[in-house]
């Protein structure tokens, strides 16, 4: 019986729910010292002087470092030349949170006291806190190497003026994709131990090999004596693939002090130091006809990079513009983007990284067209969908060749769950009753690019390669250990990969362990991000398991004196097809696989061990259709999500429970972006939402129950057929929610409302309408 | 950057007398009850007391007593105990109801009614109950016991009439058995502090009090008077924000808060049985 598609309980959970998980902060090696940061409280300032004398005099303080102490080290990896982010900033601080000095002390409390005792003399410089400030003529400049604050500008890829001039209708939309803080429950944590035998770094990280390679290059040391371990990791959402300066500082300080150095970011630090996500502005022009058919689309993306551009951050608008056409066949698409620096926290990957921005944009555009033409939003979608037989589909972007999908099918499936006519009738009735809450119905047919990826795709972001490693090792008793380079941090990969291996090997799921997150144990690896773990890493597990199984069959055939092709496995017994009585258990095959005298001619002992570097030819393109129903309190402007219908197409489902978990989590973050979360700065660049008191991560009761459906189109790039699902919810939910909010208010002439749709914003609209 | 308090000494007091003695003998000491307002401030290093005097073990300050005319609630009674108390539900139902709306279950299991009142946070829920019901605070110091009316208790932002060497020992709530009540708490995120809140106590001495409509918890005086004078809910609600100077923050500007105050007042009045 296949385990693919089975609701298997997570192998991870017994440890985690009994408090036996081991996170970096749980580790307490002997002699461990603690690092604390002095961070800039100024958005942009010259650092005139730093007085460290009082801190150095505190009992238990082991080191106080400023820029001079790290001047010989490179800048933070993944920085851009001339705009490098020093590990400790030098004469200028460029955002609130920029590291100005570092303290190491014998305990955390002394380290915090010492950090507080350091006196920094700032001379404020004019700052740019927003894109409009950064792009204003005569704007203050952040990096002398730039002309102005634009790091990179790509003009429209095509001139569409003729298409727009000829079009029966055109419309425009300006959108803001609000800046979000990833805010994982576990912030950045690192423990570095640099001894005579080498350097070991435990880090809350999503890609340990990537970090190992980078650390070794950074310090000019050998990879064989550099070990990175990502133990249990408490959420990452993309923010834990960034090379946080703290990691390199902990290692450098451990080398200098000859003892382990640990750093645990505080929540308030995490809010300003961990790289943010989204922070894009869009200017969109669309040409269409009276039936709602889109003729041409122009999208201009302005990406806030924060104070120091990061290689991943620079890639965000590339992904957004690549995915700008969404599920639709649009004859002409021209895209343009600009990366801009501001005196704010750097921006990089956050769940969805560039794709939620694209789906939000195009799904708002669809509803705008519906509003302009009077054609129902469902119809506008159906009119423009790429047909189910239209794959592979080459988009306007060389990056995106959609592999498969059935967008109309997903929307139809959605409408089986959401009774649209009934909802519309209810909406009309509510509108007529001034005491009733307003009802809004919003749809999103979304699509994203995942399964990173084909050769070259991750190299562009500084990775070694884009494959994922998998090693399958059968133990002498017939159990198996899988080693994967994917480094899960909450996804349940230990469970899904064991399901995949169990199917191929014929070994019981309970006798398969999955190991990850340690460069000394895992052959090589890339990591978990871009919804790639199953689509690439899982496929690797399948390939390696198949190889091992073929060899096991050879041994079994030899032992049973039968031909290999006749051998099948059932309940961990190999037998000759049709003759179950003639059998040999997996445990014996495994045992004998290590005994030269028992093996068929030419077979080496230990051959039930295979390592694969799994490549895939293309990205994957998970898609789906969501419907959100909101109620709006006419007196307070409060938005309540009443229903959320979710149809996902992630190809083959390995474990429905885990897919649901991923979707629910992603949707929660999408709802959060649409209604709650917004990392804000005041005019001068001081963060206004730097604590969880002000930055509203929604709580469980704020989220609705979900009704889930599914369609399945297979991923042609792997044999599993799986596409990846980690980011889907965060891609699909924001447009569904905002479309619903706009729908609820459309009788007032509202065409758009920026995220987050806060009660006060909505109240001002409602009040203005009176 | 936050979350790690400065060094402090820790003492436990077994009785009110001992706590008073410790308060008098330590410079810059603070009483520690549930710690759910004080400890966050210490972690942010917004306050750094030299000594914490832990009063949470003082038995005489716990629990609810029915004295006949009033309910006497010990200052150290946890929100959760108040929320679940049958006596409170029967005689001051507004108090039980509101105690159940403070923060989340963890907060309610630790936080105390006394701590909430003495902290004097204008955004806290329970001060509005004390104000709407006309409760009396019982405070003990070296000179003995003082009784302070709720209306005189909240002095300024995070400042109450309790002196630095005094302890709030109990709160006496006049019984409102059988009378209607309403509490409306407007939040963006559930289990959060109120953006605006309104408490209404019906009965022969009705009262309306506001949460987060100024620098101190306060009664809605004009609205309360109109209510006592028999005005209708719309007229009373329209007066809710009268005389207030609401704070402005990312969730709400002053206009919006005034508007919310009257909307919520109307809803609370309706819940309390007014028409
Ligand atoms: C996550 C979170 C959410 C919360 N949400 C809400 C909410 O929605 N609504 C709400 O109202 N509150 C909320 N609170 C606050 C909570 O109710 C606190 O417990 C309460 O405000 C303070 O009570 P405490 O016992 O914890 O006091 P402590 O924090 O121990 O003390 C607070 C102050 O009062 C002083 N003090 C305490 N007891 C006495 C006494 N008997 N005599 C004299 N001085 C004393 C202390 O010295 C200190 O200055 C929340 C707190 C947290 C952490």
């Amino acid at each position: 019986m296949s385990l693919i598609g089975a609701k298997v309980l997570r192998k991870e959970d017994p440890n985690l729910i009994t408090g036996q998980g081991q996170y970096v902060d749980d580790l307490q090696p002997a002699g461990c010292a603690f690092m604390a940061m002095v961070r800039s409280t100024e958005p942009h300032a010259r650092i005139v002087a730093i007085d460290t004398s009082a801190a150095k005099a505190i009992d238990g303080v082991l080191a106080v470092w400023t820029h001079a102490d790290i001047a010989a080290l490179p800048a933070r990896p993944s920085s851009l030349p001339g705009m490098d982010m020093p590990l400790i900033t030098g004469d200028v601080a460029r955002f609130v949170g920029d590291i100005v000095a570092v303290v190491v002390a014998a305990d955390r409390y002394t380290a915090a006291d010492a950090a507080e005792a350091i006196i920094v003399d700032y001379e404020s410089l004019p700052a740019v806190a927003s894109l409009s400030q950064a792009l204003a003529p005569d704007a203050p400049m952040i990096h002398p190497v730039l002309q102005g604050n634009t790091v990179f500008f790509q003009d429209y890829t095509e001139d569409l003026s003729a298409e727009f001039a000829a079009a029966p209708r055109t419309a425009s939309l300006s959108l803001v994709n609000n800046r979000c803080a990833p805010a994982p429950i576990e912030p950045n944590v690192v423990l570095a131990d640099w001894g005579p035998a080498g350097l070991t770094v435990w880090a809350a990280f999503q890609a340990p090999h990537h970090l190992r390679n980078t650390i070794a290059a950074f310090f000019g040391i050998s990879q064989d004596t550099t070990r990175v371990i990502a133990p249990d990791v408490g959420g990452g959402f993309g923010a834990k693939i960034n090379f946080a300066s703290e990691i390199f500082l902990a290692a450098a300080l451990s080398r200098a002090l000859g003892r382990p150095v640990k750093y645990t970011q505080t929540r308030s630090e995490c809010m300003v130091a961990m790289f943010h996500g989204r922070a894009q502005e869009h200017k969109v022009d669309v040409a269409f006809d009276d039936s709602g058919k889109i003729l041409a689309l122009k999208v201009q993306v302005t990406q806030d990079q924060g104070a120091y551009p990061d290689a991943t951050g620079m890639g965000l608008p590339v992904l957004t513009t690549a995915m700008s056409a969404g599920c639709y066949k649009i004859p002409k698409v021209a895209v343009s983007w600009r990366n801009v620096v501001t005196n704010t926290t750097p921006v990089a990957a956050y769940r969805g990284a560039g794709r939620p921005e694209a789906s939000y944009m195009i799904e708002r555009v669809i509803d705008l067209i519906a509003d302009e033409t009077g054609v129902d939003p469902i119809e506008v979608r159906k009119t423009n969908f790429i047909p189910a037989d239209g794959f592979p589909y080459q988009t306007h972007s060389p990056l995106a060749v959609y592999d498969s999908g059935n967008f109309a099918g997903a929307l139809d499936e959605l409408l089986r769950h959401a009774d649209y006519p009934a909802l519309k009738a209810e909406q009309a009735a509510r509108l007529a009753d001034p005491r009733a809450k307003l009802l809004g119905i919003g749809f999103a047919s979304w699509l994203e690019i995942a399964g990173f990826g084909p050769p070259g795709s991750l190299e562009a972001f500084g990775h070694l390669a884009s494959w994922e490693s998998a090693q399958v090792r059968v133990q002498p008793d017939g159990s198996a250990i899988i080693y994967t380079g994917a480094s899960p941090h909450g996804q349940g990969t230990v469970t899904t990969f064991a399901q995949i291996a169990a199917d191929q090997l014929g070994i019981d799921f309970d006798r398969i362990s999955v190991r990850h997150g340690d460069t000394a144990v895992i052959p090589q690896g890339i990591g978990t991000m871009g919804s790639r773990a199953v689509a690439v890493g899982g496929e690797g597990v399948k390939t390696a398991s198949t190889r091992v199984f073929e060899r096991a069959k050879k041994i079994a055939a030899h032992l049973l004196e039968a031909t290999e092709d006749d051998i099948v496995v059932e309940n961990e017994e190999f037998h000759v097809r049709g003759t179950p009585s003639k059998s040999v258990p997996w445990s014996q095959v495994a045992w004998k696989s290590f005994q030269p005298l028992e093996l068929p001619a030419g077979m080496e002992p230990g051959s039930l061990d295979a390592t694969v570097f799994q490549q895939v030819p293309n990205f994957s393109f998970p898609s789906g259709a969501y419907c959100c129903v909101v109620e709006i309190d006419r007196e307070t402007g409060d938005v309540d999500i009443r229903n959320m219908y979710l149809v996902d197409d992630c190809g083959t489902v390995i474990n429905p429970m885990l897919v649901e978990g991923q979707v629910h989590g992603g949707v929660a973050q999408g709802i959060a972006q649409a209604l709650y979360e917004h990392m804000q700065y005041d005019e001068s660049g001081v963060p206004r939402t730097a604590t969880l008191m002000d930055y509203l991560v929604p709580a469980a009761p704020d989220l609705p129950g979900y009704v889930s459906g599914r369609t399945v189109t297979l991923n042609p790039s792997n044999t599993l057929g799986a596409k990846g699902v980690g980011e889907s919810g965060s891609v699909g939910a924001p447009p569904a929610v905002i479309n619903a909010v706009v729908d609820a208010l459309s009788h007032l002439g509202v065409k758009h409302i920026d995220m987050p749709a806060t009660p006060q914003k909505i109240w001002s609209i409602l009040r203005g309408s009176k | 950057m936050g979350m790690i308090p400065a060094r402090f000494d820790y003492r436990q007091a077994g009785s009110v007398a001992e706590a008073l003695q410790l308060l008098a003998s330590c410079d810059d000491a603070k009483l520690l009850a549930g710690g759910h307002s004080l400890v966050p401030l210490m972690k942010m290093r917004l306050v750094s007391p030299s000594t914490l005097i832990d009063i949470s073990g003082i038995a005489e300050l716990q629990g609810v007593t029915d004295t006949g005319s009033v309910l006497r609630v010990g200052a150290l009674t946890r929100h959760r105990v108040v929320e679940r108390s049958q006596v409170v539900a029967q005689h001051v139902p507004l108090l039980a109801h509101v105690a159940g709306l403070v923060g989340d279950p963890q907060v309610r299991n630790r936080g105390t009614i006394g701590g909430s009142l003495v902290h004097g946070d204008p955004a806290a829920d329970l001060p509005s109950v004390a104000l709407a019901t006309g409760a009396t605070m019982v405070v003990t110091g070296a000179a003995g016991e003082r009784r302070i009316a709720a209306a005189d208790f909240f002095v300024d932002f995070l400042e109450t009439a309790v002196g630095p060497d005094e302890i709030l020992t109990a709160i006496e709530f006049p019984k409102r058995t059988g009378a209607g009540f309403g509490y409306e708490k407007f939040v963006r995120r559930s289990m959060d502090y109120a953006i605006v809140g309104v408490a209404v106590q019906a009965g022969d001495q009705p009262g309306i009090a506001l949460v987060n409509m100024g620098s101190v918890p306060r009664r809605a005086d004009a609205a309360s008077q109109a209510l006592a004078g028999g005005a209708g809910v719309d007229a009373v609600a329209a007066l809710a924000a009268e005389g207030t100077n609401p704070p402005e923050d990312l969730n709400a500007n002053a206009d919006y808060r005034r508007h919310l105050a009257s909307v919520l007042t109307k809803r609370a009045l309706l819940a309390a049985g007014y028409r």
Side-chain angles (χ1 to χ4, degrees), chain A residues 693, chain B residues 23 29-41 52-53 55 61 75-79 101-104 107-108 110-121 123-127 162-163 166-170 185 187 191-194:
Chain A
M693 287 281 281
Chain B
L23 267 180
K30 276 245 166 228
L31 298 174
L32 176 71
H36 268 44
S37 290
L38 180 56
V39 174
L41 290 179
L52 286 187
I53 301 165
I55 54 173
L61 300 186
L76 283 168
T77 312
R78 312 241 188 229
H79 305 324
L101 296 173
V102 173
D104 54 47
V107 173
R108 298 199 287 278
R110 293 299 306 169
T112 67
I113 186 169
S116 179
L117 294 170
V118 179
H119 192 55
D121 186 342
D125 297 295
L126 291 170
V162 179
E166 289 181 316
I167 297 178
L168 174 68
T169 50
K185 180 175 181 177
V187 291
M191 307 184 287
D192 216 337
Y193 283 94

Side-chain angles (χ1 to χ4, degrees), chain A residues 545-759:
Chain A
S545 302
T546 310
R547 279 186 202 167
V548 165
F549 182 67
E550 290 307 319
R551 293 176 200 159
K553 249 167 58 172
K554 273 203 176 80
I555 301 171
H558 176 71
L559 297 173
L560 292 168
E561 296 173 340
T563 58
E564 202 184 314
D565 291 346
D566 293 339
I567 300 293
V568 292
V569 69
E570 246 171 332
N571 300 326
E572 294 201 348
E573 296 268 343
F574 288 92
H575 62 80
V576 177
R577 196 187 314 274
T579 327
S581 55
K582 207 177 166 196
S583 73
V584 54
W586 235 120
S587 55
Q588 263 199 52
V589 171
W591 191 261
K592 292 186 170 165
S593 76
F594 292 97
Q595 298 180 320
L597 297 180
E598 303 285 354
L599 292 173
M603 191 173 263
E604 300 257 333
S607 67
L608 300 187
D609 185 328
T611 304
V612 161
F613 290 76
Q614 183 68 47
Q615 304 188 58
V616 292
N618 190 6
F619 296 97
S620 65
F621 295 86
S623 58
Y626 290 175
C627 172
C628 174
V629 181
V630 297
E631 287 182 320
I632 295 184
D633 185 320
R634 295 197 207 207
E635 289 179 312
T636 64
D638 195 31
V639 180
D640 203 25
I641 297 184
R642 191 183 74 175
N643 311 97
M644 195 90 193
Y645 303 97
L646 312 168
V647 171
D648 273 83
D649 183 349
C650 60
T652 303
V653 170
I654 313 292
N655 186 329
M657 210 161 51
L658 295 183
V659 163
E660 235 172 58
Q662 286 295 316
V663 171
H664 291 186
V667 167
Q669 278 173 310
I671 291 173
Q673 185 182 8
L675 297 181
Y676 297 95
E677 298 184 13
H678 187 190
M679 191 70 205
Q680 299 182 62
Y681 290 84
D682 72 12
E683 290 270 291
S684 73
V686 174
R688 304 178 74 188
T689 49
T691 73
L692 293 181
M693 287 281 281
D694 302 310
Y695 184 84
L696 295 191
V697 177
D702 299 312
L703 301 166
Y706 304 114
V707 175
S708 308
R710 180 166 294 134
T711 56
V712 177
T713 58
L714 297 179
N715 176 359
S717 297
N718 61 34
T719 65
L720 282 170
K723 295 183 174 184
V725 72
E727 293 160 297
S728 300
S730 64
V731 175
V737 175
I738 294 298
N739 283 345
V741 171
V742 172
D743 182 55
L745 301 172
S746 65
H747 62 284
L748 303 173
V750 173
K751 290 192 184 292
H752 178 66
I753 181 162
D754 273 328
M755 299 189 287
T758 65

Side-chain angles (χ1 to χ4, degrees), chain A residues 108-109 112-113 116 266 268-269 633 635-636 675-676 688-689 692 695-697 699 701-702 758-760 763, chain B residues 1-6 44-45 186-193 250-253 255-256 259-260 263 267:
Chain A
R108 248 192 121 172
Y109 291 85
D113 287 348
E116 192 159 270
T266 65
S268 15
E269 282 185 291
D633 185 320
E635 289 179 312
T636 64
L675 297 181
Y676 297 95
R688 304 178 74 188
T689 49
L692 293 181
Y695 184 84
L696 295 191
V697 177
D702 299 312
T758 65
Q760 178 170 293
W763 170 69
Chain B
M1 290 238 171
M3 312 323 278
I4 298 175
M44 303 294 276
R45 298 200 177 197
F186 188 75
V187 291
R188 279 183 63 197
R189 171 177 58 190
S190 56
M191 307 184 287
D192 216 337
Y193 283 94
L250 293 175
N251 290 321
N253 60 26
D255 268 359
Y256 185 41
H259 168 77
L260 285 174
V263 169
R267 291 178 184 181

Side-chain angles (χ1 to χ4, degrees), chain A residues 297-654:
Chain A
L297 178 72
K298 276 171 65 180
V299 182
Q300 189 173 63
V301 174
T302 310
Q303 172 74 57
D304 192 340
Q305 293 288 343
Y308 301 96
D310 170 88
T312 309
M314 292 289 289
L316 296 174
V318 179
L319 291 172
T320 305
T321 51
M323 298 307 292
S324 282
C327 303
Y328 309 104
K329 192 167 185 162
I330 304 178
K332 287 283 179 189
V333 180
V335 295
S336 159
W337 70 91
R338 186 192 290 275
N339 286 321
V340 177
V341 285
T342 58
N343 291 110
T344 61
T345 298
V347 175
Y350 169 55
R351 201 170 194 167
R355 294 97 86 199
E357 295 88 326
S359 76
Y360 178 67
M361 180 277 296
I362 189 67
E363 290 306 294
R364 287 296 304 118
V365 165
I366 293 287
D367 273 31
L368 178 69
I369 293 172
D371 192 69
E372 296 277 327
T373 55
V375 179
D376 191 274
I378 295 286
E379 278 321 304
V380 178
R381 286 180 171 81
K382 289 194 165 173
T383 301
N384 290 287
F385 277 147
I386 297 162
D389 60 3
F391 298 93
Y393 179 83
Q394 174 66 61
T395 63
H396 62 282
S397 161
L399 201 62
V401 182
Y402 298 167
D403 57 0
S404 64
N406 180 358
F407 308 135
L411 190 51
D412 286 340
E413 169 67 13
L414 181 73
L415 294 173
R416 283 200 326 106
H417 297 279
D419 187 344
Y420 191 36
L423 286 167
K424 294 215 43 133
E426 185 183 354
Q427 179 178 45
R430 298 277 198 106
L431 196 54
D433 174 3
R435 283 165 317 168
K437 288 186 178 180
L438 295 169
L439 200 76
I441 311 153
F443 293 95
S445 286
W446 57 270
L447 162 86
E448 67 136 337
I449 182 167
F452 285 66
S457 58
L458 288 173
E459 290 86 331
F461 296 104
H463 288 264
L464 169 64
S466 303
W467 40 253
E468 193 51 271
S469 73
Q471 182 177 35
V472 174
R473 277 187 175 172
V474 174
Q475 307 301 308
D477 67 351
S479 63
I481 305 178
I482 315 289
Y483 302 82
T484 171
S487 191
H489 39 282
Q491 291 81 359
T493 305
V494 165
T495 304
T496 46
F497 282 17
Q499 287 178 257
I500 293 168
D503 258 28
Q504 299 307 312
L505 292 168
I507 293 175
D508 205 62
F509 172 79
D510 292 330
R511 296 211 304 141
I512 299 177
S513 292
V514 178
R515 305 238 181 273
H516 59 81
D518 184 346
T519 62
V521 175
I522 312 299
Q524 297 300 331
I526 303 302
T528 290
M529 59 262 170
S531 300
R532 69 192 302 273
V534 165
V536 189
E539 179 71 5
V541 169
K542 184 176 174 188
T543 310
S545 302
T546 310
R547 279 186 202 167
V548 165
F549 182 67
E550 290 307 319
R551 293 176 200 159
K553 249 167 58 172
K554 273 203 176 80
I555 301 171
H558 176 71
L559 297 173
L560 292 168
E561 296 173 340
T563 58
E564 202 184 314
D565 291 346
D566 293 339
I567 300 293
V568 292
V569 69
E570 246 171 332
N571 300 326
E572 294 201 348
E573 296 268 343
F574 288 92
H575 62 80
V576 177
R577 196 187 314 274
T579 327
S581 55
K582 207 177 166 196
S583 73
V584 54
W586 235 120
S587 55
Q588 263 199 52
V589 171
W591 191 261
K592 292 186 170 165
S593 76
F594 292 97
Q595 298 180 320
L597 297 180
E598 303 285 354
L599 292 173
M603 191 173 263
E604 300 257 333
S607 67
L608 300 187
D609 185 328
T611 304
V612 161
F613 290 76
Q614 183 68 47
Q615 304 188 58
V616 292
N618 190 6
F619 296 97
S620 65
F621 295 86
S623 58
Y626 290 175
C627 172
C628 174
V629 181
V630 297
E631 287 182 320
I632 295 184
D633 185 320
R634 295 197 207 207
E635 289 179 312
T636 64
D638 195 31
V639 180
D640 203 25
I641 297 184
R642 191 183 74 175
N643 311 97
M644 195 90 193
Y645 303 97
L646 312 168
V647 171
D648 273 83
D649 183 349
C650 60
T652 303
V653 170
I654 313 292

Side-chain angles (χ1 to χ4, degrees), chain A residues 94-393:
Chain A
R94 295 183 183 83
F95 71 98
V96 171
D98 214 354
I99 297 173
V100 174
V102 179
V103 177
V104 177
D107 67 83
R108 248 192 121 172
Y109 291 85
T110 307
D113 287 348
E116 192 159 270
I118 291 174
I119 298 157
V120 185
D121 184 4
Y122 296 104
E123 182 190 306
S124 294
L125 294 170
V128 289
S130 63
L131 289 172
S132 59
Q133 283 181 23
L135 293 172
D138 303 325
M141 274 171 49
I142 302 174
H143 296 288
V145 68
L146 296 176
Q147 304 292 319
N149 291 309
T150 296
V151 188
F152 177 83
F153 174 67
Q154 159 74 55
D155 205 349
Y156 283 111
T157 45
E158 230 182 306
D159 177 8
L160 299 184
S161 35
E163 282 79 0
F164 273 79
R169 287 164 174 264
T170 62
S172 301
L173 197 55
S174 294
L175 303 171
V176 177
N177 214 281
N178 42 323
R179 179 187 282 252
C180 294
I185 287 185
E186 182 198 34
N188 272 330
V189 190
V190 58
L191 167 63
D193 190 2
W194 198 319
L199 167 65
T200 303
V201 172
W202 291 262
F205 210 74
Q206 300 175 218
H209 286 85
H210 186 33
L211 182 58
R212 189 274 312 263
N213 300 349
T214 305
I215 289 175
F218 183 90
F219 290 106
I221 55 177
S222 172
Q223 292 181 354
D224 73 304
T225 53
T226 310
R227 179 180 184 186
V228 171
I229 302 170
D232 284 325
V233 175
F237 310 122
K240 289 181 183 165
I241 30 175
N242 297 323
F243 296 121
S245 303
E246 294 93 329
I247 297 172
F248 301 86
L249 285 168
L253 277 151
S254 174
R255 174 167 67 178
L257 295 170
R259 56 197 283 184
V261 171
K262 182 152 96 177
Y263 168 73
T264 303
Q265 205 168 47
T266 65
R267 179 57 60 190
S268 15
E269 282 185 291
C270 185
M271 294 304 291
V272 296
M274 183 179 272
F275 290 2
H276 294 159
R278 311 287 187 260
Q280 280 187 3
E281 291 182 10
H282 295 184
K283 191 183 166 308
V284 200
D285 302 287
V286 60
F288 51 101
D289 67 16
D290 291 342
S291 73
K293 176 133 197 65
I294 306 177
L295 306 171
L297 178 72
K298 276 171 65 180
V299 182
Q300 189 173 63
V301 174
T302 310
Q303 172 74 57
D304 192 340
Q305 293 288 343
Y308 301 96
D310 170 88
T312 309
M314 292 289 289
L316 296 174
V318 179
L319 291 172
T320 305
T321 51
M323 298 307 292
S324 282
C327 303
Y328 309 104
K329 192 167 185 162
I330 304 178
K332 287 283 179 189
V333 180
V335 295
S336 159
W337 70 91
R338 186 192 290 275
N339 286 321
V340 177
V341 285
T342 58
N343 291 110
T344 61
T345 298
V347 175
Y350 169 55
R351 201 170 194 167
R355 294 97 86 199
E357 295 88 326
S359 76
Y360 178 67
M361 180 277 296
I362 189 67
E363 290 306 294
R364 287 296 304 118
V365 165
I366 293 287
D367 273 31
L368 178 69
I369 293 172
D371 192 69
E372 296 277 327
T373 55
V375 179
D376 191 274
I378 295 286
E379 278 321 304
V380 178
R381 286 180 171 81
K382 289 194 165 173
T383 301
N384 290 287
F385 277 147
I386 297 162
D389 60 3
F391 298 93
Y393 179 83

